Amino acid sequence: MPNKIINKVVIWDLPTRVFHWLLLASYLLAWITYADNRFLYFHVFVGYIFFGLLIFRLAWGFIGTHYAQFRSFAQDWSSVTEYLKGLINGKAMRYIGHNPIGGYAIFAMLLLGFIISISGLLTLAGEEGHGPLQGMVNYSVGIASHSIHEILAWVMLLLTIVHVLGVIVESIWHKENLVWAMLSGQKEAAAGTSSIQGHHLLALSISMVVIIVTPIYFNGYLKETADKLYQPYKGPVLPDNASWRENCSECHIAFHPSLLPARSWQKIFNTQHQHFEDDLDLDDETITELLKFHLDNAAEKELTEAARKILYYTPENVTPIRITKTIYWEKKHKDIDEAYWKHDKIKIKGNCDACHLDAKEGTYEDSDMRLPELE
Amino acid sequence: MKKYILIISTLFICQTAFAQSAQDEAFKAYSENGKLKFDSKRGHVLWTKKHPDKEDKDRQCSTCHTKDLTQKGKHAKTGKVIEPMAPSVNKDRYTKLKKINKWFKRNCKWTLGRECTNQEKGDILKYLTQQ
């Protein structure tokens, strides 16, 4: 490549640039929202955007403009070694497009992005029972996918940091602002290098798709009312029983049997005359019916994610009689500020429906959760 | 339209009749073959009588049900809303004998630490049904 720098040309077409920054945005938002279950629906949304962008980029890698094409940045081994040598000697060659190492880093990131997207969809299907793959994979696939999803997200973060460091180093080295180049698309190039086509209409279409799908996806939130808050994910319809609804909701909400192991329900009904501070004094017929319903649908039946996890975290020699005293419950609620527990609407930890919009259904979906406003 | 009015009013009459019969049966059972007589004033006194619990905190019927029976109450522990006790605002009250007995048993034990006597139950029911 000649060293004489003559003019500014467009290297990165607009669709590539829009892809780059939207991918970054969705990626960062996914990181911000992954830890809190309440944001699952949002996390999944940015995941879809991330995945969609990658699919576009894959196609664009074959049919896009010169510098965006994979073959332009998949360079042969000798270029890679030469570039490495240059790096060590402090005389790295300047490339208009991706440098050989950078090019392979992009391949690695794209590949990682795809695996992260797909493992995310598998997690959503296997663990939560939602998304396009729901019903196609079981829970253990979901768990395994979740691990892959998490580990690769960290690997990708590492690669992102390397990528950013590379951008900084090269920018300083060659005295050109590569971040600005990805915004404006322009770089200084030797005479005879021509600008690529802008493809502005395609870039506009990509942006429009994102702008249009966002309010459609979040439509439910726009239409919710104060007494009917939106529940983005609907859980499975759980077994129901009229006597359970009637008798168990007299003093507290009717806790679904799936929330405690069978041995716990056995103990609770065996001690009905000292039910916490009350003597339930239910007749034999009622007790028999209630006990059967609870044993038939106890946590062991794994009707929901909560059931599985409560069971998993409860040691076999422990028989909890309060859901709020199970290890899993405590683990999931430990970060909730003390002020919420004193809130008028909550008062005791067993008032699940103060925050869980689907507490009465017993499904406890991740996104169907709202903390009340504090005064 | 007339038909509906007829059906609805029949339902109301039936409900009142049911309520009446459930209450009559309760009073009859509590009276111990007509030996006991019930008085709503005594019932009213019982309603607000304080009973110390193990931690020396007072418990009374009105802890959960409030003193104004036309108002909604609140479960002392869970905060769950309890529908008003006064049949004048809550038609469902005292319409099933089974329920009357069940709640006397459960709530007397919580409030007084023992079951109520027939005299107490009759007096309280007299007071409640007049609200």
Side-chain angles (χ1 to χ4, degrees):
Chain A
M1 195 165 293
N3 281 328
K4 272 170 84 188
I5 291 163
I6 305 288
N7 58 342
K8 282 206 164 207
V9 291
V10 176
I11 300 296
W12 308 121
D13 60 57
L14 195 54
T16 302
R17 282 178 273 151
V18 167
F19 157 81
H20 178 273
W21 296 112
L22 282 180
L23 192 77
L24 175 69
S26 59
Y27 174 69
L28 290 179
L29 287 171
W31 266 109
I32 294 168
T33 53
Y34 92 97
D36 192 325
N37 287 170
R38 280 179 298 160
F39 302 142
L40 179 70
Y41 190 67
F42 188 89
H43 180 83
V44 169
F45 175 72
V46 291
Y48 284 136
I49 297 287
F50 183 81
F51 193 27
L53 288 166
L54 287 175
I55 291 169
F56 157 75
R57 189 64 185 86
L58 184 67
W60 202 236
F62 292 105
I63 60 167
T65 58
H66 177 74
Y67 298 100
Q69 284 200 8
F70 294 143
R71 58 170 178 217
S72 81
F73 57 91
Q75 308 203 28
D76 55 37
W77 192 240
S78 61
S79 318
V80 177
T81 48
E82 209 167 300
Y83 185 80
L84 268 177
K85 271 184 218 156
L87 263 187
I88 295 160
N89 302 330
K91 280 182 282 189
M93 278 235 319
R94 177 175 180 268
Y95 284 80
I96 290 191
H98 290 292
N99 70 52
I101 306 244
Y104 283 104
I106 301 302
F107 281 123
M109 285 168 86
L110 288 177
L111 182 66
L112 273 177
F114 272 109
I115 305 175
I116 288 170
S117 302
I118 291 161
S119 59
L121 287 175
L122 288 170
T123 308
L124 184 65
E127 271 189 29
E128 311 287 332
H130 297 300
L133 304 179
Q134 77 180 84
M136 286 188 237
V137 288
N138 62 24
Y139 184 66
S140 47
V141 172
I143 294 274
S145 305
H146 201 163
S147 304
I148 295 170
H149 189 71
E150 275 187 15
I151 293 164
L152 293 189
W154 282 103
V155 175
M156 183 134 178
L157 184 65
L158 202 74
L159 263 179
T160 310
I161 293 167
V162 172
H163 169 70
V164 172
L165 286 177
V167 167
I168 294 168
V169 168
E170 276 218 9
S171 294
I172 295 168
W173 221 317
H174 301 303
K175 295 188 178 64
E176 63 177 343
N177 187 340
L178 290 178
V179 178
W180 176 246
M182 191 43 89
L183 281 164
S184 68
Q186 291 179 345
K187 276 189 166 186
E188 288 178 336
T193 314
S194 49
S195 284
I196 46 86
Q197 232 187 301
H199 290 284
H200 293 187
L201 202 60
L202 179 63
L204 185 72
S205 310
I206 294 169
S207 315
M208 284 309 287
V209 168
V210 175
I211 291 167
I212 290 165
V213 298
T214 306
I216 294 174
Y217 186 89
F218 292 104
N219 187 29
Y221 284 104
L222 303 174
K223 287 199 297 197
E224 75 173 15
T225 56
D227 27 85
K228 207 177 169 348
L229 296 174
Y230 179 54
Q231 299 179 31
Y233 286 127
K234 280 262 176 274
V237 177
L238 300 180
D240 217 299
N241 177 289
S243 179
W244 162 63
R245 287 252 177 237
E246 189 197 328
N247 286 294
C248 301
S249 67
E250 281 166 342
C251 302
H252 50 66
I253 70 155
F255 304 108
H256 196 269
S258 60
L259 298 170
L260 282 176
R263 59 183 182 277
S264 295
W265 293 119
Q266 190 81 57
K267 189 172 172 183
I268 287 167
F269 286 107
N270 282 349
T271 56
Q272 67 138 333
H273 293 293
Q274 291 104 41
H275 186 73
F276 303 97
E277 281 187 67
D278 275 311
D279 177 359
L280 300 184
D281 201 41
L282 297 166
D283 57 47
D284 289 346
E285 198 190 328
T286 312
I287 281 285
T288 310
E289 184 184 352
L290 288 178
L291 184 60
K292 184 179 185 309
F293 175 65
H294 282 73
L295 296 185
D296 285 350
N297 301 294
E300 285 87 343
K301 286 284 144 62
E302 304 193 1
L303 294 170
T304 63
E305 192 190 8
R308 282 192 194 97
K309 300 240 167 109
I310 287 169
L311 189 68
Y312 176 80
Y313 282 97
T314 305
E316 273 175 41
N317 57 353
V318 174
T319 307
I321 55 162
R322 282 182 193 271
I323 297 158
T324 55
K325 286 273 192 261
T326 60
I327 293 170
Y328 180 65
W329 191 97
E330 288 181 336
K331 178 177 134 77
K332 291 303 273 187
H333 296 82
K334 69 176 179 341
D335 292 332
I336 290 170
D337 196 282
E338 204 51 44
Y340 285 108
W341 300 117
K342 296 191 183 106
H343 191 281
D344 239 20
K345 237 178 113 189
I346 301 182
K347 208 174 166 201
I348 61 154
K349 292 183 172 175
N351 279 334
C352 313
D353 60 336
C355 307
H356 292 275
L357 306 178
D358 57 345
K360 290 198 168 95
E361 286 81 41
T363 45
Y364 296 90
E365 288 290 326
D366 282 349
S367 280
D368 297 346
M369 199 186 332
R370 303 280 183 92
L371 289 168
E373 301 258 332
L374 290 176
E375 296 302 310
Chain B
M1 192 61 200
K2 258 187 187 165
K3 205 164 76 182
Y4 285 113
I5 294 171
L6 199 68
I7 291 172
I8 290 165
S9 43
T10 315
L11 282 174
F12 266 110
I13 292 163
C14 283
Q15 198 183 25
T16 323
F18 269 125
Q20 214 52 55
S21 76
Q23 289 163 25
D24 287 348
E25 275 182 70
F27 284 125
K28 207 173 125 193
Y30 301 150
S31 73
E32 301 178 6
N33 299 321
K35 274 190 286 175
L36 302 176
K37 294 279 173 278
F38 303 122
D39 172 22
S40 71
K41 280 204 190 97
R42 278 202 305 264
H44 181 57
V45 172
L46 282 170
W47 187 257
T48 50
K49 194 176 171 196
K50 289 171 179 170
H51 307 273
D53 68 4
K54 280 178 219 147
E55 286 146 26
D56 237 22
K57 266 165 75 184
D58 285 332
R59 289 181 180 184
Q60 47 199 126
C61 303
S62 53
T63 309
C64 300
H65 294 296
T66 78
K67 282 176 184 155
D68 180 356
L69 298 180
T70 60
Q71 297 295 308
K72 284 181 179 179
K74 231 177 175 188
H75 191 284
K77 199 93 188 174
T78 67
K80 193 184 163 74
V81 171
I82 303 168
E83 294 304 318
M85 295 300 282
S88 59
V89 293
N90 185 358
K91 291 261 178 293
D92 290 335
R93 287 291 179 208
Y94 326 113
T95 55
K96 286 192 189 108
L97 182 62
K98 212 176 154 184
K99 278 203 166 182
I100 298 174
N101 282 324
K102 170 183 167 176
W103 287 110
F104 263 134
K105 184 155 188 186
R106 197 183 284 178
N107 290 348
C108 282
K109 277 195 165 181
W110 184 85
T111 317
L112 285 72
R114 59 166 173 84
E115 284 187 45
C116 291
T117 62
N118 281 330
Q119 183 71 59
E120 288 167 331
K121 285 193 269 192
D123 287 340
I124 292 170
L125 190 62
K126 197 103 211 170
Y127 165 64
L128 292 176
T129 50
Q130 284 175 8
Q131 301 303 307

